[in-house]
Amino acid sequence: MSLSNIFIWVSAKPSISNTLLKNTKPQNGGSQSSFPIVQCGLRELRERIDSVKNTQKITEAMKLVAAAKVRRAQEAVINGRPFSETLVEVLYDINERLQSEYVDVPLTNVRPVKKIALVVITSDRGLCGGFNNGVIKKAETRITELKKLRLECSVISVGKKGNSYFNRRPNVRVDKFIEAGTFPTAKEAQTIADNVFSLFLSEEVDKVELVYTKFVSLIKFDPVIHTLLPLSPKGKVFDVNGNSVDAFEDEFFRLTTKQGKLSVERASVRKRSEGLSPLLQFEQDPVQIIDAMMPLYLNSQILRALQESTASELAARMNAMSNATDNAVELKKTLSMAYNRERQAKITGEILEIVAGAEALKELE
């Protein structure tokens, strides 16, 4: 049996097919019966039970694979944040020292916005719950807002799911389709940064916004939007409402095993906002330093967004497969109960026929 046929019977949300089982309705205000009425024979029930068992094994394996990968992705997110934060602090400190000077850096040029580019980051695979739907819905909402403001909008789609979605939307202009890898690297981030950099410097777009899923914990991840270009003079990251998307406190869940099953332990990691030493001096011209660090900052922010999106995707897949496994267990119990009741009813009917035949023979004698 193919995988697509198997997943018809088990989904991330518990549900039982009405074509197979149908619960009895309460009569005269009585309570609803907990025993289902069988709509098929014993042979079909056995096939359904075997199919659900196979599905349970598949979803359990996919859950374990996602759990193993999400730990690596989670560590990449946690380990990558200090670099981005330190880079922001350096840019902040340099700009503070250059408040009285004119600095001409192309990526910081703020001009009247007429056209905006959205970089939408999705996954390459499905079976991860509402992960992709959340990001796409966030992008669609932003596109609608921009159209109401009479601003032109284009999309740079990253990920096969986003590519497939926007490819079927002729009313949305897509400048570039980019496929993401299993684990994001600096090379992939540089590819996206180069496209964004060329669009902004050629003045084809006046603003670039990044739409991705921010990883909070294994059970929470939120789609966010923040302005990528023009870069803020102080190096801070804001969303379209002017709110910072950097969390003050991160919840770090460590994967463990308890009694042979997957479990998590919670720990907290607080950010340190220590500035650079006032005694620090720069040998090069500060303008040259900013000009060299701005592209590095752009690349690091895109890489960070890719890492956050990957960790959120794996966490969503792990939760979806966990729900599917639980649903398979419940469905197997229900089908087994229906199978046993049907088999018992059949055996009882055969016994009654034998007894009735014996009684009829006695009467003939």
Side-chain angles (χ1 to χ4, degrees), residues 177-205:
F177 290 106
I178 302 174
E179 293 186 3
T182 305
F183 285 99
T185 61
K187 184 178 180 180
E188 296 174 357
Q190 189 61 45
T191 302
I192 302 173
D194 291 341
N195 286 279
V196 171
F197 189 81
S198 61
L199 287 175
F200 187 78
L201 287 186
S202 62
E203 298 187 1
E204 295 183 25
V205 297

Side-chain angles (χ1 to χ4, degrees), residues 16 21 32 41 52 105 109 119 155 183 188 208-209 222 225 254 303 313 320 333 350 355 362:
I16 299 176
L21 301 174
Q32 185 176 1
V52 171
V105 180
N109 292 336
V119 181
V155 173
F183 285 99
E188 296 174 357
V208 180
E209 295 178 351
D222 303 320
I225 303 176
R254 293 190 176 274
L303 178 60
E313 174 198 350
K333 289 181 181 178
E350 293 176 354
V355 172
K362 289 181 180 180

Side-chain angles (χ1 to χ4, degrees), residues 65 234 236 276:
V65 171
K234 293 186 177 181
K236 292 185 178 180
L276 297 177

Side-chain angles (χ1 to χ4, degrees), residues 61-351:
M62 295 181 68
K63 172 186 172 182
L64 295 177
V65 171
K69 290 183 178 180
V70 75
R71 182 170 185 174
R72 176 183 171 187
Q74 184 182 18
E75 291 177 352
V77 171
I78 299 299
N79 295 333
R81 284 177 179 173
F83 173 77
S84 299
E85 294 163 7
T86 304
L87 188 59
V88 169
E89 292 176 3
V90 173
L91 288 173
Y92 177 83
D93 187 78
I94 295 175
N95 281 276
E96 281 292 325
R97 300 183 186 186
L98 295 176
Q99 290 297 320
S100 59
E101 300 182 15
Y102 174 76
V103 180
D104 184 15
V105 180
L107 295 182
T108 61
N109 292 336
V110 180
R111 50 182 180 260
V113 177
K114 298 180 181 179
K115 184 176 180 181
I116 296 178
L118 296 179
V119 181
V120 184
I121 300 177
T122 58
S123 66
D124 287 341
R125 299 171 56 195
L127 297 178
C128 52
F131 170 78
N132 292 310
N133 291 335
V135 178
I136 292 175
K137 185 177 179 180
K138 193 80 172 179
E140 286 284 1
T141 302
R142 181 57 178 164
I143 292 173
T144 304
E145 293 175 357
L146 295 176
K147 288 182 178 180
K148 290 182 179 179
L149 296 175
R150 296 182 179 180
L151 296 175
E152 296 183 18
C153 178
S154 61
V155 173
I156 298 177
S157 178
V158 181
K160 292 182 180 179
K161 291 299 179 179
N163 296 349
S164 176
Y165 176 83
F166 289 110
N167 210 7
R168 300 192 301 267
R169 299 296 186 276
N171 58 330
V172 179
R173 177 184 172 184
V174 181
D175 288 335
K176 190 76 173 179
F177 290 106
I178 302 174
E179 293 186 3
T182 305
F183 285 99
T185 61
K187 184 178 180 180
E188 296 174 357
Q190 189 61 45
T191 302
I192 302 173
D194 291 341
N195 286 279
V196 171
F197 189 81
S198 61
L199 287 175
F200 187 78
L201 287 186
S202 62
E203 298 187 1
E204 295 183 25
V205 297
D206 302 311
K207 186 179 182 183
V208 180
E209 295 178 351
L210 195 61
V211 185
Y212 69 100
T213 305
K214 182 176 179 61
F215 178 79
V216 180
S217 68
L218 290 177
I219 57 177
K220 184 179 180 182
F221 23 87
D222 303 320
V224 295
I225 303 176
H226 81 258
T227 300
L228 192 61
L229 288 176
L231 296 177
S232 171
K234 293 186 177 181
K236 292 185 178 180
V237 178
F238 295 98
D239 62 6
V240 291
N241 297 320
N243 301 318
S244 176
V245 298
D246 290 325
F248 175 71
E249 183 177 1
D250 295 322
E251 286 184 302
F252 184 67
F253 284 75
R254 293 190 176 274
L255 296 176
T256 60
T257 55
K258 180 182 288 186
Q259 297 179 354
K261 294 185 178 181
L262 188 68
S263 62
V264 294
E265 293 179 355
R266 179 180 299 176
S268 62
V269 179
R270 286 191 175 272
K271 292 184 178 181
R272 295 178 298 175
S273 57
E274 299 177 358
L276 297 177
S277 173
L279 302 177
L280 183 63
Q281 296 181 356
F282 298 97
E283 294 182 358
Q284 296 86 359
D285 185 8
V287 176
Q288 296 179 358
I289 296 177
I290 292 180
D291 192 36
M293 291 184 63
M294 282 299 185
L296 179 62
Y297 172 79
L298 177 63
N299 190 5
S300 66
Q301 291 302 313
I302 294 178
L303 178 60
R304 177 178 174 179
L306 291 173
Q307 290 175 339
E308 301 249 5
S309 181
T310 300
S312 301
E313 174 198 350
L314 293 173
R317 181 172 293 110
M318 185 181 67
N319 293 332
M321 292 301 100
S322 177
N323 293 335
T325 301
D326 295 339
N327 185 39
V329 172
E330 293 298 326
L331 184 57
K332 185 174 66 174
K333 289 181 181 178
T334 305
L335 291 174
S336 298
M337 183 185 300
Y339 175 79
N340 293 334
R341 287 177 60 84
E342 181 72 11
R343 190 169 67 92
Q344 187 64 36
K346 187 175 181 180
I347 294 173
T348 303
E350 293 176 354
I351 293 176

